[in-house]
Amino acid sequence: MAKFLIIRFSSIGDIIQCMNVVNGIKNHFPNAEIHWIARKDMGSFLNMDKRINRVWGFDKKTGFKGLLQMARQLKAEKFDYIYDAHSNIRSNILKAVLLPPLYYLFPRGPRYTLRHKDRWKRFLLFKLRINKFDKPFRGIISYQKPLATWGITNFESDYSDWNFPAEYEERFHRTLTPKTITLVPSANWEMKRWPVSNWQQVIQLMPDYRFIILAGPSDTFCETIKAIAPERVNNLAGKTSLLESCYLVKQSNLVISGDTGFLHAADLFHTKAIALMGPTAFGYPTGKQAEVIEVDLPCRPCTKDGHGKCKQSTWQKCMVDILPKRVVDTALRILDFKS
């Protein structure tokens, strides 16, 4: 029985995209034992997947000493395969403990592979406008590629046995009706958020539908979106945990979102989705059930994650120019097909 360790500490979107590699491991090693080390507050996502045998939650508060202690515990597990899907200081510390000295000169012990961040390509793209990445760049595929060194190339899966608390079904069974659409209007960086007025127009142009909003407690602008039709919009911003929000994404008829973790959750669950892609480079969904809406501008993409400055005379032009009617027409076509 092959024993795997996946190293990916954060963030939400990256962890969800990386979770797709479990499909490939299980396709090639059906009896594999899979461990994952992540930041402690990210563990709820990973526990959704019953195929992951153990989630190691690293508490940042324990610092370097705590990481070394956890590294020694991981070393005692005697993994056959170690996949560093993060490539940061913490994962390099783990590598130093888990791999034998001079591993690259004399490979022995566990097999090891690394997801490179292609920093040189990023410099060329964002500083010199020279794109050496695949277009569009899909994060899920970038997490899959390093496993080819172990012969893992098939990531197709219809896995659906996600592990959510049993009480969720009772708690949320009235939240999502056949005529309900899930909106995800927030994002970590404002530059990749679709304007509030556009979300309002979508709601106005779809009078026969109800909506739920998923966002964080600080996203107070969601109340402005709700105010356009309060009788049809359920604003859950700050009212659901990350795991509860994932459950609602999984159960949704359709998710409309920018480049967010919940868009990638829809991709993972094979939920119908509309991806509103603007300034970011690496957030494109992979699944056939997701449709991408974007506008062609020579300045796109201009940022890795939405952090930075817009150089257009119309701020956030790549998002502003995604017209609500275009989104509504796409949504109605998807929902009609789904019915």
Side-chain angles (χ1 to χ4, degrees):
M1 181 173 64
K3 195 169 184 178
F4 285 77
L5 173 65
I6 300 170
I7 304 169
R8 181 74 215 190
F9 290 97
S10 61
S11 60
I12 296 167
D14 284 290
I15 284 180
I16 291 175
Q17 290 181 88
C18 186
M19 285 174 71
N20 182 268
V21 305
V22 176
N23 294 341
I25 293 172
K26 282 296 187 179
N27 286 343
H28 291 264
F29 299 88
N31 297 319
E33 181 180 333
I34 301 175
H35 294 228
W36 193 310
I37 180 170
R39 216 170 64 194
K40 189 175 181 180
D41 56 323
M42 300 289 167
S44 63
F45 292 100
L46 296 163
N47 286 320
M48 292 188 303
D49 194 333
K50 296 179 181 178
R51 299 169 299 176
I52 299 175
N53 299 85
R54 182 172 178 181
V55 177
W56 298 72
F58 171 66
D59 188 347
K60 291 194 302 180
K61 296 178 182 178
T62 63
F64 178 73
K65 183 178 179 181
L67 186 62
L68 276 181
Q69 182 179 5
M70 184 164 283
R72 295 187 191 102
Q73 292 174 332
L74 290 168
K75 188 177 180 67
E77 294 287 336
K78 300 186 183 303
F79 293 104
D80 301 298
Y81 297 86
I82 298 174
Y83 175 28
D84 182 357
H86 206 132
S87 185
N88 68 351
I89 293 175
R90 290 190 184 113
S91 69
N92 284 329
I93 291 171
L94 290 180
K95 178 177 67 175
V97 176
L98 295 173
L99 298 181
L102 303 176
Y103 178 84
Y104 290 104
L105 292 176
F106 308 102
R108 61 207 185 280
R111 296 188 179 187
Y112 171 82
T113 192
L114 170 72
R115 176 184 181 257
H116 293 281
K117 292 187 176 181
D118 294 318
R119 290 182 174 88
W120 177 241
K121 288 184 180 179
R122 293 185 185 194
F123 173 82
L124 290 175
L125 175 59
F126 298 130
K127 299 298 182 182
L128 303 179
R129 309 303 306 157
I130 300 172
N131 190 0
K132 295 296 184 179
F133 288 107
D134 295 334
K135 190 176 180 181
F137 182 97
R138 293 183 168 91
I140 288 177
I141 293 176
S142 76
Y143 284 107
Q144 295 173 350
K145 283 184 176 180
L147 301 192
T149 190
W150 299 334
I152 298 175
T153 56
N154 175 19
F155 296 88
E156 294 295 324
S157 175
D158 57 358
Y159 180 78
S160 60
D161 190 21
W162 301 101
N163 184 30
F164 291 100
E167 65 267 20
Y168 280 14
E169 183 176 358
E170 175 64 25
R171 188 188 312 173
F172 295 116
H173 80 280
R174 293 181 181 178
T175 303
L176 295 170
T177 72
K179 284 276 196 174
T180 301
I181 297 172
T182 299
L183 308 180
V184 186
S186 185
N188 284 338
W189 296 101
E190 189 175 356
M191 197 161 69
K192 63 178 181 177
R193 295 178 184 174
W194 206 36
V196 166
S197 60
N198 286 11
W199 291 106
Q200 291 176 318
Q201 288 182 60
V202 165
I203 293 168
Q204 288 178 311
L205 291 169
M206 303 184 76
D208 296 331
Y209 286 86
R210 303 182 68 84
F211 301 85
I212 65 168
I213 296 175
L214 298 179
S218 63
D219 296 317
T220 54
F221 66 88
C222 293
E223 275 299 308
T224 305
I225 298 174
K226 175 181 178 177
I228 202 71
E231 73 285 355
R232 294 189 292 115
V233 180
N234 184 3
N235 179 19
L236 297 178
K239 299 177 182 177
T240 55
S241 68
L242 293 175
L243 189 61
E244 288 169 339
S245 295
C246 277
Y247 176 79
L248 290 169
V249 166
K250 177 183 177 296
Q251 299 300 114
S252 293
N253 305 299
L254 174 66
V255 174
I256 304 176
S257 174
D259 176 8
T260 70
F262 292 136
L263 171 65
H264 303 309
D267 214 12
L268 184 70
F269 298 139
H270 307 297
T271 299
K272 297 286 185 181
I274 296 175
L276 310 176
M277 300 305 299
T280 55
F282 307 137
Y284 284 81
T286 303
K288 297 177 181 178
Q289 78 291 338
E291 295 208 23
V292 173
I293 297 181
E294 57 189 334
V295 295
D296 188 17
L297 291 173
C299 57
R300 292 185 58 234
C302 65
T303 174
K304 173 178 73 76
D305 54 12
H307 177 59
K309 296 181 180 180
C310 179
K311 297 179 180 179
Q312 290 285 342
S313 57
T314 300
W315 185 79
Q316 205 193 17
K317 183 176 175 62
C318 60
M319 296 300 286
V320 171
D321 283 3
I322 298 176
L323 300 180
K325 187 178 185 306
R326 184 181 174 191
V327 175
V328 169
D329 289 344
T330 304
L332 291 174
R333 173 172 50 79
I334 292 172
L335 292 166
D336 181 63
F337 176 77
K338 183 178 176 66
S339 62

Coordinates of all heavy atoms in Angstrom, one line a residue, residues 2 7 17 60 128 163 176 218-219 233 282 318:
A2 N 0.8 2.0 -1.1 CA 1.6 3.3 -1.2 C 1.1 4.3 -0.2 O -0.1 4.5 0.0 CB 1.5 3.8 -2.6
I7 N 1.8 18.3 0.6 CA 2.1 19.5 1.4 C 1.4 20.7 0.6 O 1.9 21.1 -0.5 CB 3.6 19.7 1.5 CG1 4.2 18.5 2.1 CG2 3.9 21.0 2.3 CD1 5.8 18.6 2.1
Q17 N -8.2 23.7 -5.4 CA -7.7 23.2 -6.8 C -6.8 22.0 -6.6 O -6.8 21.1 -7.5 CB -7.0 24.4 -7.4 CG -7.9 25.5 -7.9 CD -7.2 26.7 -8.5 OE1 -7.0 26.6 -9.8 NE2 -6.8 27.6 -7.8
K60 N 0.0 28.1 13.0 CA 1.0 29.1 12.8 C 1.5 29.6 14.1 O 2.7 30.1 14.1 CB 0.4 30.2 11.9 CG 0.1 29.9 10.5 CD -0.1 31.1 9.7 CE -1.2 32.0 10.2 NZ -1.4 33.2 9.4
L128 N 6.8 42.3 -18.3 CA 7.2 42.6 -19.7 C 6.1 42.2 -20.7 O 6.2 42.4 -21.9 CB 8.5 41.8 -20.0 CG 9.7 42.1 -19.1 CD1 10.9 41.2 -19.6 CD2 10.0 43.6 -19.2
N163 N -17.9 14.5 2.5 CA -18.2 14.3 3.9 C -18.6 15.6 4.5 O -17.8 16.5 4.9 CB -16.9 13.8 4.6 CG -17.2 13.5 6.1 OD1 -18.3 13.1 6.4 ND2 -16.1 13.6 6.9
L176 N -32.1 26.4 -0.8 CA -31.9 26.2 -2.2 C -33.1 25.6 -2.8 O -33.4 24.4 -2.6 CB -30.6 25.4 -2.5 CG -29.3 26.1 -2.1 CD1 -28.2 25.1 -2.2 CD2 -29.0 27.3 -3.0
S218 N -17.1 40.7 6.6 CA -16.7 42.0 6.3 C -17.2 42.6 5.0 O -17.1 43.8 4.7 CB -15.1 42.1 6.3 OG -14.6 41.3 5.3
D219 N -17.9 41.7 4.3 CA -18.4 42.1 2.9 C -19.8 42.8 3.1 O -20.8 42.2 2.6 CB -18.5 40.9 2.0 CG -17.1 40.3 1.7 OD1 -16.2 41.1 1.5 OD2 -16.9 39.1 1.8
V233 N -33.8 37.8 -2.3 CA -32.3 37.6 -2.0 C -32.1 37.3 -0.6 O -32.5 38.0 0.3 CB -31.5 38.9 -2.4 CG1 -30.0 38.6 -2.2 CG2 -31.8 39.2 -3.9
F282 N -4.5 33.1 -13.0 CA -4.4 31.7 -12.7 C -5.7 31.0 -12.2 O -5.6 30.0 -11.6 CB -3.3 31.5 -11.7 CG -2.0 32.1 -12.2 CD1 -1.2 32.8 -11.3 CD2 -1.5 31.9 -13.5 CE1 0.0 33.3 -11.7 CE2 -0.3 32.5 -13.9 CZ 0.5 33.2 -13.0
C318 N -11.8 45.5 -17.3 CA -12.0 44.1 -17.6 C -13.2 43.4 -16.9 O -13.8 42.5 -17.4 CB -10.8 43.3 -17.4 SG -10.2 43.3 -15.7

